[in-house]
């Protein structure tokens, strides 16, 4: 087993990896930028190394500095977390060349799944359902129009190297293709340095469901059930849960087996996620299609941990050390229900404007773990921390588990109510409203949920009749004039900002 691990990341995921490493008796090394010099992940580590200035391009994305830090501290493995260098083939390869274990998949698997066009070809060859479409290179707009007509409208145009909702356009007819094809190419080139575009059938009433896979270096690969990730805003996940309220046991088996087949086809090991788009109108159990494979640990991995009882970070470390999986597919059992909400520094009452500044007050709910349920907070901030413009605005991940979905949702509402955050704007009211929304309670989810239920934005939407009026975090949901909102976080009066009457009680 490894003696010392360097975590090439920051924030909550760095803290998350270090907690498991310490539990395993592995010494930890943090890296940090100038903006994170006093961050919790730095204080948590046994050693820390400065990388450079605040911008990620000058610090966390500098592979050579991270490798140098590993060598100087004697770290024998590197965990990349998610984001930053986690899915860069070149970084995984550089670790191998330096004689430092990369806690993740092999470089060839990262490369194979990193190209959306090539990954779809590989998926199709492995017997995985793929969305009807054209996965070759498209010559020009006229070629795109012909392809879209053959597939049948509506279609989605996507940048091959895209991600995070960028480089995507929906076309309901020929004119949409003519208007959007070249723009999609330009966006792909500007954002990812690659102007290739592919076109596929747009799935109606789509759900975003993903399968967690885990493999070792001895050829053993299992799937650990699914996660429902349909609650998204602008293609960014907001709420995740495991299992899905839509997936049947037979559908889960089919999805899982196809995910394993794809992982096996590229020689995959470590933790990875096969993302699928699922037709909400399908009743056959076959209406699921491959989107992409994320060759890293996902932000939402805690919900899988809670329903399987497995520590995915520990499994990744053991696999990187060459250990075989200690269990087989038949040993994987899903128990109860888990839900994760992402608490972001943004103001849903003002169009989800980003909010930066100091956490004047940060009091998360008390963590608990017993037979009745679990309340878990994964964070990388403390009271007084700075929410910077340089990095992802996530404050924390709130995870709850309970024997049933209804109980897990209720536990979320109660835990969200106990969050105390001042100094910056945050989305806790929005998350609580989703948890109490009748449609969410019914499990009638699609990727269009937020756009459909809050078409004019959250600030203009009154809560559903079931919204818990006794919640001390409840605010009026009528439209408040931007002119009267002096601060991004109404409710904090210590800095003299206005507090709407009867809102906080």
């Amino acid at each position: 087993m490894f003696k010392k691990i360097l975590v090439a990341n920051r924030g909550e995921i760095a803290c998350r990896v270090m907690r498991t490493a310490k539990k395993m008796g592995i010494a930890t090394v943090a890296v940090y930028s100038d903006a994170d010099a006093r961050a919790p992940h730095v204080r948590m580590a046994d050693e820390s190394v400065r990388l450079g200035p605040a911008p990620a391009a000058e610090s966390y994305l500098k592979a050579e500095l991270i490798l140098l830090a590993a060598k100087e501290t004697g770290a024998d493995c590197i965990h990349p977390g998610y984001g930053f260098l986690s899915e860069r083939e070149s970084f995984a390869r550089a670790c191998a060349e330096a004689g430092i274990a990369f806690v993740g998949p092999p470089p060839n698997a990262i490369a194979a799944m990193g190209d959306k066009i090539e990954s779809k070809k590989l998926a199709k060859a492995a017997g995985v359902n793929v969305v009807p479409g054209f996965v070759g290179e498209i010559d020009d707009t006229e070629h795109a129009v012909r392809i879209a007509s053959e597939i049948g409208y509506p279609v989605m145009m996507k940048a091959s190297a895209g991600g995070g909702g960028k480089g995507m356009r929906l076309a309901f007819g020929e004119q949409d293709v003519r208007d959007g094809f070249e723009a999609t190419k330009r966006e792909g080139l500007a954002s990812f340095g690659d102007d290739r575009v592919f076109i596929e059938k747009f799935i109606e009433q789509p759900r975003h469901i993903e399968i967690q896979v885990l493999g070792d270096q001895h050829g053993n690969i299992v799937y650990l059930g699914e996660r429902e990730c349909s609650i998204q805003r602008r293609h960014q996940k907001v709420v995740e849960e495991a299992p899905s309220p839509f997936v049947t046991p037979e559908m889960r088996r089919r999805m899982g087996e196809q995910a394993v087949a794809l992982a096996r086809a590229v020689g995959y090991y470590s933790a990875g996620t096969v993302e699928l788009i699922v037709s909400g109108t399908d009743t056959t159990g076959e209406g699921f299609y491959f989107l992409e494979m994320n060759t890293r640990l996902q932000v939402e991995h805690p919900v899988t941990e809670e329903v399987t009882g497995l520590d995915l970070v520990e499994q990744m470390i053991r696999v990187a050390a060459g250990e075989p999986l200690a269990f087989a597919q038949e040993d994987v059992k899903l128990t109860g229900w888990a839900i994760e909400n992402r608490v972001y520094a943004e103001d849903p009452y003002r169009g989800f404007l980003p909010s930066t500044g100091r956490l004047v007050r940060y009091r998360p709910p008390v963590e608990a773990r017993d037979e009745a349920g679990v309340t878990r907070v994964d964070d990388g901030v403390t009271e007084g921390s700075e929410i910077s413009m340089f990095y992802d605005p996530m404050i924390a991940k709130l995870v709850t588990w309970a024997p049933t979905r209804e109980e897990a949702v209720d536990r979320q509402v109660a835990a969200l109510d106990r969050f105390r955050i001042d100094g910056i704007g945050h989305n806790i009211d929005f998350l609580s409203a989703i948890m109490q929304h009748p449609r969410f309670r019914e499990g009638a989810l699609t990727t269009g949920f937020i756009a459909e239920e809050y078409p004019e934005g959250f600030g203009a939407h009154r809560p559903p009749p079931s919204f818990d009026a006794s919640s001390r975090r409840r605010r009026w949901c009528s439209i408040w004039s931007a002119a009267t909102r002096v601060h991004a976080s109404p409710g904090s009066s210590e800095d003299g900002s206005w507090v709407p009457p009867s809102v906080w009680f």
Side-chain angles (χ1 to χ4, degrees), residues 398-452:
L398 175 65
V399 183
T400 57
W401 175 93
T404 67
R405 185 175 187 267
E406 182 178 9
E407 291 171 307
V409 174
D410 287 341
R411 200 172 180 97
Q412 275 284 339
V413 174
L416 287 166
D417 183 53
R418 292 194 291 272
F419 257 106
R420 294 293 179 267
I421 299 175
D422 286 333
I424 59 170
H426 56 76
N427 66 339
I428 288 176
D429 288 351
F430 177 59
L431 297 175
S432 186
I434 291 176
M435 292 296 99
Q436 298 179 67
H437 198 292
R439 180 176 161 188
F440 180 83
R441 291 273 181 166
E442 293 167 7
L445 314 179
T446 71
T447 55
F449 177 93
I450 291 176
E452 293 160 5

Side-chain angles (χ1 to χ4, degrees), residues 140-161:
D140 52 29
T141 300
E142 292 304 320
H143 189 195
V145 168
R146 290 198 302 273
I147 290 168
S149 298
E150 291 169 2
I151 294 171
Y153 293 102
V155 299
M156 182 71 82
M157 297 178 287
K158 296 183 180 180
S160 176

Side-chain angles (χ1 to χ4, degrees), residues 202-208 230 277-280 445-448:
F202 178 70
I203 305 301
E204 298 184 82
Q205 295 185 32
R207 287 177 177 259
H208 186 121
S230 297
I277 188 167
V278 180
S279 172
L445 314 179
T446 71
T447 55

Side-chain angles (χ1 to χ4, degrees), residues 350 480 494:
R350 298 198 299 173
W480 294 97
E494 294 177 2

Side-chain angles (χ1 to χ4, degrees), residues 75-98:
D76 46 4
C77 69
I78 294 177
H79 195 302
Y82 51 71
F84 291 144
L85 299 172
S86 63
E87 290 184 284
R88 289 204 180 175
E89 173 203 5
S90 59
F91 183 59
R93 202 173 296 282
C95 288
E97 292 171 354

Side-chain angles (χ1 to χ4, degrees), residues 237-316:
K237 299 167 189 172
V238 177
V239 182
E240 302 97 355
E241 59 183 301
S244 164
F246 181 74
V247 174
T248 64
E250 178 60 19
M251 192 176 189
R252 179 177 302 121
R253 181 188 65 79
R254 292 176 181 174
M255 287 178 169
E257 289 177 351
Q258 288 194 19
V260 167
L262 177 59
R264 197 175 300 283
V266 296
Y268 199 90
Y269 56 78
S270 194
T273 297
V274 176
E275 299 203 351
L276 306 166
I277 188 167
V278 180
S279 172
T281 61
D282 181 79
T283 58
T284 66
E286 290 287 351
F288 60 89
Y289 308 97
F290 173 77
L291 276 178
E292 63 182 340
M293 185 174 189
N294 291 309
T295 54
R296 56 171 167 80
L297 191 67
Q298 292 281 92
V299 176
E300 57 271 21
H301 75 274
V303 293
T304 296
E305 292 183 323
E306 295 301 335
V307 297
T308 61
L310 294 168
D311 183 328
L312 288 179
V313 173
E314 178 182 350
Q315 294 300 320
M316 292 179 75

